[in-house]
Amino acid sequence: MKRTSSTALLRTTASAALLLLASGHPLTAQTIAITGGTVFPVTGPRIENGTVLIRDGVITAVGSNVVIPAGATRVDATGKWVTPGLIHAGSRAGLGIASLFQQSEASVQGEVTPSFSPAEGIDPAAITIPLARTGGVTTGIAAPGGSYFRGTAVAIQHAGSRLEDVLISPAVAMVLDLSGSSKAAGGGSRAGTMARTRRIFRDALEYARRRTDYQRGAMQELAAPAAELEALLPVLRGEMPILITANRAIDIRNALRLTQEFTLRTILSGAVEGWQVAGEIAAAGVPVVLEPNTDIPSFDGLGARLDNATLLRAAGVKVIIAQGDPGGERQLRFGAGNAVRNGLTWDDALAAITRIPAQAFGLEGYGTLAVGSVANVVVWSGDPLDFASAAEMVYIRGQATSLHTRETELLERYRTLPPRR
Amino acid sequence: MKRHRSLLLLTGLLATACAGAGAQNPTPTPRMFMTGADTAVFRDTLSFMRPQYPSTYVRHTNPPVVIRNANILTAAGQELRGATIVFQEGRIVSVGPDGPVPTGATVIDGSGKWVTPGIIDTHSHLGVYAAPGTAAESDGNEATNPVTAEVWAEHSIWPHDPQIPLAIAGGVTVMQVLPGSANLIGGRSATVRLVPARTVQEMKFPGAPYGVKMACGENPKRVYENRGPSTRMGNMAGYRAAFIQAEQYRQRWDRWLLDRKGPPPARDLKLETLAGVLRGEIWVQNHCYRGDEMAQMLDLAKEFGFTIRSFHHGVEAYKIADLLAEAGTAASVWSDWGGFKMEAFDPIPENLALLTQAGATAVLHTDSPDGIQRMNQDMAKSYYAGLRAGIALTRDQAIRWITANPAWVLGIDSLTGTLEVGKMADVTLWSGDPFSVYSKAEKVWNEGWLVFDRLDPEHQYHTDFNLGQTAPGVGR
């Protein structure tokens, strides 16, 4: 009873709730010094025998000569690797109580639903969230599913008990699919999809200019309901990025055309044949979210190849790594490892799951270990991109989180089999 | 002219077959199929007396190979450092600190590299669900009846599936291609070598027993919801009804085969396959996720007197590892994939480690055209998950999950799956430790044939489908 009321008290302010431990530890203003590890700030070179100092959920010092205040909780990370919490730009964790297909909350019916944000479908109690933490992923960017204009991607942190605790932003990017799966939205041809997209964008701008006419009924029928066009305005004003799925080279070029025509802040998603148009993507300043192990040819990307990330990076493109499968959160770091296997530098691979997605999706203060950064920090037993290592401590907003999962309990139950009956 | 030559060749093969088996066999057992020699005698007789889609695989002639100074994981109990492996005429002739250099051998410096047996996947749909994924080439599920034991996966395999060279580039040399899991009994599997080929017959592993795909749980009852089975108890009733029919069919035929008096019983392809299971000639490969359901299937096997060779997708195999060890049934499982449906709700990354600890035959399988390219990575994940949980494991035990143990599941373990003298030269050379994410298969020999060399485009196979496209896809 007492415990319930004190928990309720803590929840009265959102900021307090943000600091609530996922494992249920009481809230205290806390200073933590993670010492002795090899620190990867991602803003600069690695620091041997470095210290990361955290106070009240924010990083207050990073370096090799950090003065540790008296009373700080010391965490010995000697021999460990210390990185920012990973950011998964292809996340599904929390969008449904479990990763069962039937339990997904990721999409709504309809082809043109820019006003949809899956935020209120997010369940902070989802069993996928602790699993994501075990993969060192502290932040998920989850795009709605479906095809064509799907709605907005949300950003969440993987700790907290209420939506207000976990939600970083309900709308980090508008999501548009220009791949083959949106052909139907254009009447059966990519060219039709492009034409319809331009009509929707123009009508949104027209609607914004002539709201009074719209209210008087003095406008011709719009290409989408007003509420949906309204939702597109931040994109057309350059206030919100647009995440465009495009895999074939021609789809990518179409996306770049729209980017230029409507002055969009585009992020490409998929980009299976990106390597073929890498120079053009780089020239447009467009970052790319990709899955590094994509090499199976489809008619949406006959040119799939494993060194796509490497070739894009070599052309100067900002590369973000994601893993789409159920359980992708835990595979994220290995996706980055595979990108290294296929030629990307290790530093670029780590940036592709930390700093670069934070920048592209406007998550200021995330994805780096720098003074003022949100204290999402992972202590790894070794190289986070390789199999031999594991996340040993995962801090979210300066609080140690639990790495206990359903899997842990199943293991303990069946480690020794019960006697046969 | 060409036709004449092939006729001659056929005659030659028939003679060989006659010498190896047939009439001189001192203890004849009832046998369905005639050898080629019998066919010549019974030229005008019925289909069952003729060869049934035989393998035409022939080993390629290649120079001998010596790999020196390499780290060798034999999958037969050893990890040798700075050692030498020699293979010649498709067979391993030496593994140890040193080795002979046969005349004309290709000598490779293996410094800093690892050698393992070629990887074997017990569960693949390459060729039957080819890329690009189109309805036109969706050939894996004959989802027209809950029991389609009459279909054979090899009749769906497209040898030019562009996923095949991608799997070869992952160090894989042999795979079992199965029908899908829509049906209770989905049809026969085929064990094939991953080699460039124009026909599937050229890929079929000579002498490998057929498997038959069976499926538990959600898939059959979902697919046949409207006509049945629509429940797990309906699934069980379906298997039992089929095997009861097969028992009678087997009796009819075995009786006739002993004396061959009168006209033979009517041939039924469905029951022919199931009778093969009852005779122990065709091995059950059973898609089954849940532990309790696997236990039901073990009872079914006892009822009809056969052994299930391996469960596949046994996400909960760790819950019944003792039952599996006792039954002599392997578990083909993933490393840490699951959660995507109800019967896959309880995956744990320690599955393979716990199975190994319990003495069951633990196998890492993929069921995935992506996964088959990186089986060493899933092995590594499972190995380290086991170690972290405090389960005693050796690297040799882990490499067996993708080599020796799958070879046993496919009944080819006396021929391949380990690096031992006399075994087939199915060999993968890795750029580094195969337990690391950064390592790649560098060279792959399939019975001594260099089918992949990452450093030499001359030895990078592209299927017909790959030709004339911008990115052939392998070799990077």
Side-chain angles (χ1 to χ4, degrees), chain A residues 343-360:
Chain A
L344 198 65
T345 67
W346 192 93
D347 287 346
D348 278 340
L350 181 63
I353 52 177
T354 53
R355 177 171 53 84
I356 305 294
Q359 279 175 351

Side-chain angles (χ1 to χ4, degrees), chain B residues 12-52:
Chain B
L13 287 174
L14 297 182
T16 314
C18 188
Q24 278 99 26
N25 192 331
T27 51
T29 49
R31 185 161 50 82
M32 284 295 289
F33 306 118
M34 304 289 122
T35 63
D38 297 323
T39 312
V41 177
F42 296 95
R43 191 179 296 113
D44 300 322
T45 58
L46 298 170
S47 61
F48 76 87
M49 297 176 168
R50 297 165 187 263
Q52 309 287 308

Side-chain angles (χ1 to χ4, degrees), chain A residues 134-396:
Chain A
T134 65
V137 179
T138 56
T139 309
I141 295 167
S147 64
Y148 202 39
F149 272 109
R150 303 169 179 175
T152 52
V154 302
I156 64 168
Q157 66 173 27
H158 290 152
S161 52
R162 301 182 311 161
L163 180 59
E164 288 75 5
D165 305 338
V166 302
L167 194 64
I168 298 170
S169 165
V172 288
M174 182 60 58
V175 181
L176 169 64
D177 188 330
L178 289 182
S179 75
S181 51
S182 290
K183 271 171 64 175
S189 163
R190 286 168 154 80
T193 309
M194 284 295 287
R196 186 177 178 190
T197 308
R198 288 193 179 91
R199 277 201 303 279
I200 289 170
F201 281 157
R202 284 193 198 116
D203 277 13
L205 292 167
E206 177 87 353
Y207 160 81
R209 276 194 299 272
R210 297 174 56 198
R211 281 176 207 272
T212 332
D213 287 344
Y214 174 78
Q215 278 151 9
R216 284 204 318 254
M219 280 182 82
Q220 288 187 332
E221 200 184 339
L222 297 165
E228 303 302 342
L229 297 179
E230 188 81 54
L232 286 172
L233 294 177
V235 174
L236 294 166
R237 289 193 206 108
E239 295 160 8
M240 185 193 291
I242 183 165
L243 181 66
I244 303 182
T245 303
N247 288 315
R248 266 204 220 168
I250 65 160
D251 294 335
I252 294 169
R253 286 198 167 113
N254 283 340
L256 295 180
R257 261 182 218 112
L258 286 177
T259 302
Q260 195 173 29
E261 287 168 31
F262 293 93
T263 330
L264 305 173
R265 284 171 54 198
T266 299
I267 304 167
L268 283 171
S269 175
V272 167
E273 293 184 344
W275 62 275
Q276 293 177 14
V277 289
E280 293 161 58
I281 299 171
V286 167
V288 168
V289 181
L290 58 79
E291 296 188 30
N293 286 332
T294 304
D295 65 351
I296 293 173
S298 76
F299 284 115
D300 221 39
L302 289 172
R305 54 191 277 176
L306 291 175
D307 55 356
N308 192 24
T310 308
L311 298 174
L312 284 164
R313 189 72 201 102
V317 177
K318 288 183 172 173
V319 172
I320 297 161
I321 287 170
Q323 287 293 119
D325 237 16
E329 275 67 39
R330 275 199 304 182
Q331 310 305 331
L332 180 63
R333 62 194 184 105
F334 304 136
N338 272 288
V340 175
R341 173 185 188 259
N342 297 311
L344 198 65
T345 67
W346 192 93
D347 287 346
D348 278 340
L350 181 63
I353 52 177
T354 53
R355 177 171 53 84
I356 305 294
Q359 279 175 351
F361 289 92
L363 299 176
E364 207 180 322
Y366 287 81
T368 60
L369 300 180
V371 174
S373 292
V374 176
N376 292 349
V377 184
V378 183
V379 179
W380 306 88
S381 60
D383 177 357
L385 308 192
D386 210 347
F387 305 117
S389 61
E392 295 187 339
M393 297 286 278
V394 176
Y395 294 88
I396 297 180

Side-chain angles (χ1 to χ4, degrees), chain B residues 430-447:
Chain B
W430 300 86
S431 63
D433 183 0
F435 287 73
S436 166
V437 72
Y438 305 123
S439 300
K440 305 176 189 183
E442 200 171 280
K443 291 182 170 61
V444 182
W445 290 270
N446 201 310
E447 209 183 356

